[in-house]
């Protein structure tokens, strides 16, 4: 009897031990796997249990939080949703995050380890630091100027500070209000469907994610390649390219929109935007030289982040001479994001040095204590300083007495290049109007900003003038807004 | 009793008496009663529960919950009344029993109150408090009325009959969630199966105590296992089979498993034959395998245990077991703190079967271990009393009453933590359910009475008295 009782007691003890060991297994050793399971809603609940940190533009937060009282409690609000959507993206309980909301999510949601002051203690008491702030480089005046300049037309504007790479304006139009996607529920689902099915694609970030044929604005790259390679030494020596120019190996003839290209030197050809001259120069530089020049500016770079990813701009590396000729004038497979073309303008303005653009000035914790500066990449020389100087001269002339007159600003040196890009089957689509420009101080020669503007539905005749007509004034307004 | 057993018993008594004298010597001076210790522990238990209640309110509304003082006063009052009943009715009872019961009950009330915050339309805590009061009242009644546990031996068959009647009763009532285990009347719902557990345990203990030798030494030998005579084993097996059959009909497999476990354990303790364990395990395995394959409901539970995340993979979302595991994992070592977890994600049965998940999430491994140790204390009280008693019925009853909660805790805690397939069962004292709380208070009352007998200076009955008692248990010889 005694023995049986003892055995039974021991058996009970064994059961208890099994329970305790199992509890340790579930709560300690396997806990992380269970917590990380996507079906476990606790991570989401904890994430939305506190207000999200602010995205700051020009010292003022452009985002906020709304207490919904639901299970996923705090929903994101935006003060100027459509204006800043191309930077902030959305933060939705239902559809996740995009752009800055996505790349800086750890800071904004308070999950980033860098926000934790006492890791061990905070882990013990399950304390979560409040969401930190993300301070952007954007200049609100320039952003507004760009947004109002596009006035709802399809297109994009990017402005950068050439020396530092700070992104000063980032606009995609038409835009949308990311606040409509905050939270979850029928209204969010409806908004998501409506925005995704809208014909003019308001959720497409045209500044970073859309590549356009750059057309004549690409001639800046071609000119840089020709000067760097020594193919052209004197800006005014006639190049004697036949007009029309027959593409090598084909019978296709390439013409010019204007007269006076046949005996033009590089300076004149640049001002007149002669297709024949630049196509011929591209062939002269050769496929390899052209591709290398383009890649130095950032073409074919799949890793560009600002920190939101930027779609790679493309310049083909394996082509027939005829295709190379077309590529050199920004047609054929050459395609560029507005961000890429802003970088080209910035490199010219900054004496051939390109600083990769960045959008996050610094991140701080909720109390404003700096956590980190935004990710920066080193400045690199993308062309000879002498080449850059020659290009500055030529671009300034385009604004002084060329197609870019609409961009001139009194008291400042402005350089630019217009472009009209054909696209569509047999080039039947409405051409895109391009304008890239930069502005420098007259005394110090400090490059103040570089801009790229693209307007998709430029209602204009198919001429380079349209680039100046539709996009030039926008570029001017954006640059001028930055000078005040 | 064989010689070895006698020696064992004497040794145990000597240990219990705290001195080295052999049996037959003049009675030892009585042990200390330790009622003051019990009172101090009770104050602690009530305070801990009260603090839990405050913590829930502070965490959720940043204010002291409205009914906090009423709650503390209610629980404290119940504890005090029970303490007085023990002080005057069972002065030598184990001082750990009552505080353990009060603390478990108090924690259960806190957890249910905490879960009520998630379901404003359905508040279970007030009813649970009423049932706790009923439970304590019954505790007092049992301690006051039942002056000697051996009286129960006389009513062994009565207990068995009542237990069967209680188990059959729900068949007349509609099923709830696939199980016919409730009686609904006048707005109340009872689970008679809960009460039947205690009654059946009493019957098993009484019958096996009366027929120990017959079970151990008579009958044919098959290979090396001596089977007891059929007429000795017959009645008890019959009653056991009927009860298990009824429970299977009612889809109350958890309780039938419990009956089986208690029966096998008591049979082993009574006869001292390990063979019974082997037979029991084999039968249990066979029964489990049969039920697991034939019964779709159980088959589903087993599948869920093997693949708790199958529902997620199939796109149905996490099942209850997966949600329960998530809750435990979220708790980690120290828990999220009362009122700050999300165990309400478990959904259905969060206040009954899965209440442990709430505790695991909000009090963590630390709280869970403490809880398991409280149950272990409860069982240990029973085992210690069983070792200290000289009447076989008392010993067997104490073992049965200790095994009952221990098995229940293992089955349900193992089930919600993925150790064994899930079997629906109430966590003693913790889970929502009036019948369960009341039954557990009766168990504690019986244990108090038995420990009082084991630790007290009461003159032991002669060893044969149990046999000579005017009961109807003497099997045909």
């Amino acid at each position: 009897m005694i023995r049986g009782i003892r055995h039974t007691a021991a058996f009970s003890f064994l059961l208890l031990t099994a329970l305790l060991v199992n509890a340790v297994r579930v709560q300690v050793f396997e806990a992380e796997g269970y917590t990380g399971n996507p079906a476990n809603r606790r991570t989401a609940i904890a994430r939305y249990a506190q207000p999200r940190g602010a995205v700051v533009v020009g010292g003022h937060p452009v985002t906020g939080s709304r207490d919904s009282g639901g299970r996923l409690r705090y929903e994101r609000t935006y003060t100027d949703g459509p204006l800043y959507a191309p930077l902030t993206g959305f933060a939705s309980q239902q559809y996740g995050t995009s752009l800055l909301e996505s790349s800086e999510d750890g800071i904004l949601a308070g999950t980033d380890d860098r926000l934790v002051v006492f890791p061990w203690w905070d882990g013990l008491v399950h304390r979560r630091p409040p969401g930190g702030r993300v301070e952007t480089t954007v200049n609100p005046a320039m952003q507004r100027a760009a947004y109002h300049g596009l006035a709802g037309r399809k297109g994009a504007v990017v402005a950068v500070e050439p020396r530092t790479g700070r992104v000063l304006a980032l606009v995609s139009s038409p835009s949308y209000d990311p606040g409509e996607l905050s939270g979850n529920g029928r209204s969010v689902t409806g908004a998501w469907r409506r925005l995704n099915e809208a014909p003019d694609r308001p959720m497409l970030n045209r500044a970073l994610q859309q590549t356009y044929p750059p057309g004549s604005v690409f001639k800046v790259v071609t000119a840089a390649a020709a000067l760097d390679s020594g193919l052209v030494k004197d800006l005014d020596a006639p190049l004697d390219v036949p007009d029309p120019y027959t593409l090598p190996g084909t019978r296709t003839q390439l013409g010019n929109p204007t007269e006076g290209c046949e005996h033009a030197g590089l300076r004149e050809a640049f001002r007149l935007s002669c297709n024949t001259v630049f196509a011929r120069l591209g062939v002269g530089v050769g496929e390899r030289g052209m591709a290398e020049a383009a890649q130095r500016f950032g073409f074919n770079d799949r890793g560009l982040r600002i920190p939101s990813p930027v779609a790679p701009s493309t310049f083909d590396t394996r082509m027939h001479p005829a295709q190379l000729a077309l590529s050199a004038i920004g047609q054929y497979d050459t395609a560029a994001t507005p961000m890429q073309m802003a970088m080209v303008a910035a490199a010219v303005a900054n004496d051939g040095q390109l600083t990769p653009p960045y959008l996050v000035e610094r991140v701080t914790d909720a109390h404003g204590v700096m956590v980190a500066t935004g990710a920066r990449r080193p400045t690199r020389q993308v062309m000879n300083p002498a080449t850059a100087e020659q290009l500055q001269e030529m671009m300034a002339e385009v604004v002084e007495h060329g197609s870019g007159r609409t961009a001139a600003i009194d008291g400042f040196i402005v350089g630019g290049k217009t472009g009209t890009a054909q696209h569509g089957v047999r080039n039947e689509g409405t051409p895109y109007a391009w304008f890239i420009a930069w502005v420098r101080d007259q005394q110090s020669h400090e490059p103040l900003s570089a801009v790229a503007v693209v307007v998709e539905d430029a209602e204009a005749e198919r001429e380079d003038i349209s680039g100046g007509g539709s996009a030039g004034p926008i570029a001017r307004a954006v640059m001028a807004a930055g000078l005040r | 009793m064989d010689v070895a057993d006698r020696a064992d018993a004497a040794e145990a008594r000597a240990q219990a008496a705290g001195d080295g004298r052999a049996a037959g010597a003049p009675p030892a001076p009585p042990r200390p009663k330790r009622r003051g210790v019990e009172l101090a522990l009770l104050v602690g238990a009530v305070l801990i529960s009260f603090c839990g209640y405050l913590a829930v309110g502070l965490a959720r509304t940043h204010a002291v919950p409205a009914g906090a003082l009423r709650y503390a006063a209610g629980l404290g009052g119940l504890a005090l009344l029970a303490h007085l009943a023990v002080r005057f009715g069972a002065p030598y009872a184990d001082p750990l029993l009552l505080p353990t019961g009060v603390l478990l009950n108090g924690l259960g009330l806190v957890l249910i109150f905490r879960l009520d915050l998630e379901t404003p339309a359905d508040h279970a805590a007030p009813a649970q408090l009423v049932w706790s009061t009923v439970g304590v009242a019954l505790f007092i009644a049992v301690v006051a009325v039942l002056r000697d546990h051996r009286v129960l031996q006389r009513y062994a068959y009565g207990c068995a009959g009542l237990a069967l009647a209680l188990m059959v009763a729900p068949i007349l009532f509609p099923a709830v969630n696939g199980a016919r285990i409730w009686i609904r009347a006048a707005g109340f719902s009872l689970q008679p199966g809960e009460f039947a557990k205690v009654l059946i345990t009493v019957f098993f203990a009484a019958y096996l105590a009366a027929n120990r030798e017959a079970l151990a030494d008579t009958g044919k030998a098959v290979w090396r296992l001596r089977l007891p005579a059929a007429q000795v084993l017959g009645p008890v097996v019959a009653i056991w089979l009927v009860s298990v059959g009824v429970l299977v009909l009612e889809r109350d497999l958890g309780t039938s498993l419990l009956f089986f476990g208690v029966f096998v354990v008591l049979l082993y303790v009574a006869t001292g034959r390990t063979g019974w364990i082997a037979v029991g395990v084999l039968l249990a395995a066979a029964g489990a395998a049969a039920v697991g394959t034939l019964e779709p409901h159980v088959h589903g539970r087993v599948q869920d245990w093997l693949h708790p995340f199958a529902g997620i993979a199939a796109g149905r979302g996490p099942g209850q077991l997966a949600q329960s595991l998530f809750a435990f994992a979220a708790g980690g070592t120290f828990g999220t703190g009362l009122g700050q977890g999300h165990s309400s994600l478990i959904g259905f049965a969060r206040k009954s079967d899965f209440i442990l998940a709430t505790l695991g999430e909000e009090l963590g491994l630390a709280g869970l271990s403490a809880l398991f140790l409280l149950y272990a204390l409860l069982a240990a009280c029973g085992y210690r009393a069983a070792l200290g008693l000289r009447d076989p019925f008392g010993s067997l009853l104490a073992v049965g009453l200790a095994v009952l909660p221990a098995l229940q805790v293992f089955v349900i805690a193992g089930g919600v933590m993925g150790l064994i397939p899930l079997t629906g069962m109430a966590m003693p004292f913790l889970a929502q359910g009036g019948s369960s709380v009341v039954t557990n208070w009766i168990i504690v009352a019986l244990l108090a009475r038995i420990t009082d007998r084991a630790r007290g200076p009461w003159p032991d009955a002669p060893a044969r008295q149990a046999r000579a008692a005017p009961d109807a248990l003497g099997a045909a010889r």
Side-chain angles (χ1 to χ4, degrees):
Chain A
M1 193 93 166
I2 299 281
R3 199 170 51 110
I5 294 167
R6 284 186 178 155
H7 286 178
T8 311
F11 173 68
S12 301
F13 183 72
L14 201 71
L15 292 185
L16 170 81
T17 313
L19 282 183
L20 284 174
V21 168
N22 186 54
V24 172
R25 172 183 73 93
V26 172
Q27 300 201 269
V28 178
F29 291 105
E30 293 179 5
E32 230 156 271
Y34 290 134
T35 308
N37 190 308
N40 191 348
R41 294 188 64 203
R42 281 174 181 74
T43 316
I45 291 171
R47 169 195 167 92
Y48 295 110
Q50 58 183 20
R52 208 168 155 75
V55 175
V56 180
V57 176
H60 298 287
V62 297
T63 58
S65 268
R66 175 177 64 237
D67 185 355
S68 70
R71 186 167 264 163
L72 303 178
R73 190 165 164 191
Y74 284 97
E75 297 174 356
R76 191 56 140 174
T77 57
Y78 297 86
T79 51
D80 275 311
L83 175 63
Y84 292 112
L87 292 54
T88 59
F90 56 84
S92 163
Q93 267 82 334
Q94 203 157 331
Y95 298 105
T97 54
S98 70
L99 300 173
L100 270 189
E101 296 275 29
S102 167
S103 55
E104 299 299 320
D105 184 62
I107 295 286
L108 295 167
T111 54
D112 195 300
D113 290 342
R114 289 174 297 178
L115 292 171
V116 180
V117 186
F118 307 109
W120 183 82
W121 175 250
D122 286 0
L124 193 69
V125 299
H126 290 266
R127 202 180 75 90
R128 282 175 68 117
R133 293 157 64 96
V134 173
E135 297 183 6
T136 65
T137 56
V138 168
N139 176 327
M142 293 172 80
Q143 180 83 0
R144 274 176 209 285
Y147 185 78
H148 293 309
L150 281 168
R153 284 176 295 175
K154 278 189 275 188
V157 177
V158 176
V160 295
E161 195 171 59
R163 278 253 153 110
T164 58
R166 297 169 71 229
V167 176
L168 300 173
L170 188 70
V171 170
S172 169
S173 173
S175 193
Y176 69 104
D177 182 1
E180 288 184 62
L181 300 175
S182 297
N184 46 16
R186 199 165 304 161
S187 66
V188 172
T189 321
W192 176 262
R193 194 174 317 118
R194 182 168 49 74
L195 291 171
N196 274 295
E197 288 170 2
D200 46 8
R201 306 183 62 196
M203 284 180 70
L204 171 67
N205 190 331
R206 292 174 163 85
L208 303 178
Q209 287 299 325
Q210 177 73 305
T211 57
Y212 299 92
S216 300
V217 287
F218 191 77
K219 288 169 185 167
V220 176
V221 178
T222 307
L227 290 165
D228 263 354
S229 65
L231 187 68
V232 177
K233 292 197 175 60
D234 181 357
L235 292 186
D236 298 308
L239 294 165
D240 294 328
V241 180
D243 179 6
Y245 168 64
T246 309
L247 296 181
T250 67
R251 288 195 210 147
T252 312
Q253 295 201 322
L254 187 67
N256 289 312
T258 50
E259 297 296 313
C261 284
E262 198 160 356
H263 301 294
L266 185 61
R267 185 195 306 273
E268 188 66 5
F270 191 87
R271 191 175 64 81
L272 296 173
S273 198
C274 297
N275 289 335
T276 51
V277 174
F278 283 92
R280 174 76 188 76
L281 284 177
V283 174
V285 170
E287 180 182 88
R288 212 162 136 203
M290 277 304 296
E292 276 172 12
Q295 282 167 8
R296 277 198 297 272
F297 279 103
F299 280 81
N300 297 340
D301 178 2
R302 306 193 151 275
L304 184 58
R305 305 258 180 290
I306 65 159
S308 314
V310 181
S313 303
T314 55
F315 186 85
D316 270 8
T317 49
R318 311 188 66 173
M319 294 180 280
H320 304 301
Q323 293 165 340
L324 175 60
L326 286 175
S327 296
I329 56 166
Q331 302 283 351
Y332 185 56
D333 274 356
T334 306
T337 57
M339 173 59 79
Q340 174 63 66
M341 293 322 292
M343 286 158 68
V344 170
V348 172
N350 195 29
D351 304 328
Q353 292 193 325
L354 174 63
T355 311
Y358 67 93
L359 188 55
V360 176
E361 191 66 68
R362 55 193 202 128
V363 287
T364 70
D365 68 9
H367 313 294
V369 178
M370 190 162 99
V371 173
T373 53
R376 315 278 159 89
R377 295 196 191 182
T379 306
R380 59 180 195 262
Q381 195 76 38
V382 298
M383 58 185 140
N384 279 329
T387 303
E389 212 168 309
Q390 289 167 313
L391 275 170
Q392 284 167 18
E393 261 181 63
M394 296 194 286
M395 286 177 81
E397 274 177 41
V398 169
V399 173
E400 273 165 43
H401 8 256
S403 53
R405 275 188 295 269
T406 45
I409 301 173
D410 276 351
F412 290 90
I413 305 167
V414 178
K417 179 75 191 82
T418 56
T420 310
Q422 324 263 305
H423 68 105
V425 183
R426 293 204 214 98
N427 295 342
E428 275 167 5
T430 321
Y432 300 130
W434 272 98
F435 194 79
I436 63 172
W438 42 261
V439 57
R440 287 164 67 112
D441 192 281
Q442 231 162 356
Q443 277 79 42
S444 66
H445 285 264
E446 166 89 18
L448 300 166
S449 64
V451 189
V453 179
V454 65
V455 183
E456 282 187 36
D457 37 12
E459 314 250 331
E461 66 281 10
R462 305 188 168 206
E463 282 182 12
D464 272 1
I465 308 296
S466 68
S470 299
I474 301 176
R476 181 190 181 281
V478 173
M479 290 188 292
L483 303 175
R484 279 197 290 277
Chain B
M1 271 199 202
D2 54 23
V3 179
D5 253 2
R6 250 181 239 280
D8 269 353
E11 185 188 64
R13 261 202 318 287
Q15 278 177 349
D19 60 16
R21 281 172 309 163
R31 315 170 120 228
K33 299 180 184 174
R34 301 263 186 244
R35 296 275 65 83
V37 171
E38 177 176 280
L39 190 57
L41 287 173
L42 276 174
V43 170
V46 173
L47 274 180
I48 290 174
S49 307
F50 178 59
C51 288
Y53 201 83
L54 288 185
V56 172
L58 289 171
R60 294 303 295 257
T61 56
H62 305 289
V64 176
L69 277 176
R70 276 213 317 275
Y71 168 85
L75 195 66
L78 290 180
L80 189 66
L81 287 173
H83 170 72
L84 291 174
V86 172
R87 187 174 276 268
F88 297 112
Y92 288 93
D94 196 319
L96 287 175
L97 270 172
L98 189 57
T100 308
V102 167
L103 181 53
L104 286 170
N105 199 344
L107 283 178
L109 286 166
V110 167
L111 289 175
I112 291 171
F113 165 71
R114 181 263 171 276
L115 285 170
D116 279 349
L117 296 177
E118 310 286 340
T119 54
D122 166 32
H123 279 231
Q128 188 77 354
L129 192 54
V130 170
W131 282 114
S132 307
T133 312
V134 173
V136 173
L138 276 173
F139 171 92
I140 294 169
V142 168
V143 170
V145 172
L146 184 72
R147 307 305 305 176
D148 187 346
H149 63 269
R150 284 171 298 187
V151 172
L152 289 172
Q153 268 181 293
R154 291 181 211 151
Y155 302 113
Y157 279 114
C159 285
L162 187 55
L164 287 180
L166 282 173
M167 280 188 282
V168 173
I171 293 187
L172 309 172
F173 290 84
V176 181
N177 307 324
R180 284 180 187 275
I181 51 178
W182 277 276
I183 298 179
R184 293 182 175 281
F188 283 111
S189 62
L190 283 175
Q191 267 182 290
E194 290 283 345
F195 302 108
K197 285 175 196 170
V198 182
L199 294 169
I200 283 281
T201 307
V202 170
F203 166 75
F204 284 157
Y207 190 91
L208 293 171
N211 298 295
R212 281 173 63 221
E213 282 90 350
L215 282 167
D217 308 328
T218 58
K220 301 192 190 77
V222 177
W223 184 50
R224 292 180 55 190
L225 192 67
R226 249 192 227 221
L227 284 181
Q231 63 266 45
V232 179
L233 201 55
V236 71
V237 170
I239 285 178
W240 176 73
L241 274 178
V242 169
S243 56
V244 169
V246 168
L247 292 170
V248 169
L249 277 180
E250 293 172 358
R251 301 268 185 285
D252 188 3
L253 292 157
T255 311
S256 66
L257 186 74
L258 206 57
F259 279 18
F260 184 83
V262 169
F263 179 60
V264 169
V265 165
L266 289 185
L267 199 54
Y268 167 69
V269 174
T271 59
R273 298 203 168 276
T274 328
W276 288 118
I277 300 279
V279 170
V281 169
L282 283 175
L283 277 177
V291 170
T293 47
L294 297 177
E295 174 71 45
H297 179 65
V298 178
H299 182 70
R301 288 274 173 93
V302 174
Q303 284 303 316
D304 202 30
W305 169 63
L306 290 171
H307 314 286
F309 300 122
I312 301 170
R316 288 193 307 273
Q320 281 203 304
L321 182 58
Q323 287 282 25
S324 170
L325 288 171
F326 288 162
F328 280 109
T333 315
F334 294 99
T336 59
L338 278 170
Q340 298 175 67
H342 301 286
S343 51
S344 56
L345 290 167
I346 294 169
F348 170 75
R350 65 176 85 94
K351 293 179 194 172
S352 48
D353 293 6
F354 286 94
I355 194 151
L356 195 68
T358 301
L359 189 132
E361 178 170 10
E362 305 199 342
L363 297 176
L365 183 61
L368 202 60
S369 309
L371 183 83
F372 289 154
L373 290 176
L374 283 177
Y375 287 120
L377 274 181
L378 202 63
C381 289
Y383 293 127
R384 271 170 54 189
L387 288 171
L389 277 172
R390 296 184 68 189
D391 72 299
F393 167 68
S395 290
L396 285 172
L397 184 57
V399 169
L401 293 177
V403 164
L404 208 54
L407 271 183
Q408 271 194 90
V409 169
F410 178 76
V411 167
I412 184 68
V416 297
M417 298 191 78
L419 183 63
I420 54 172
L422 182 63
T423 314
M425 219 185 267
M427 198 81 197
F429 285 113
L430 231 58
Q432 174 196 5
S435 321
S436 163
V437 170
V438 169
T439 306
N440 285 307
W441 274 114
I442 293 174
I443 290 176
V444 172
L446 289 174
L447 281 174
R449 171 55 60 215
I450 295 169
T451 52
D452 174 57
R453 171 67 52 176
R455 297 171 77 250
W458 316 116
D460 258 324
R464 297 269 157 209
Q465 196 226 319
R467 189 67 68 73
D471 57 16
L473 290 175
R477 291 188 178 81

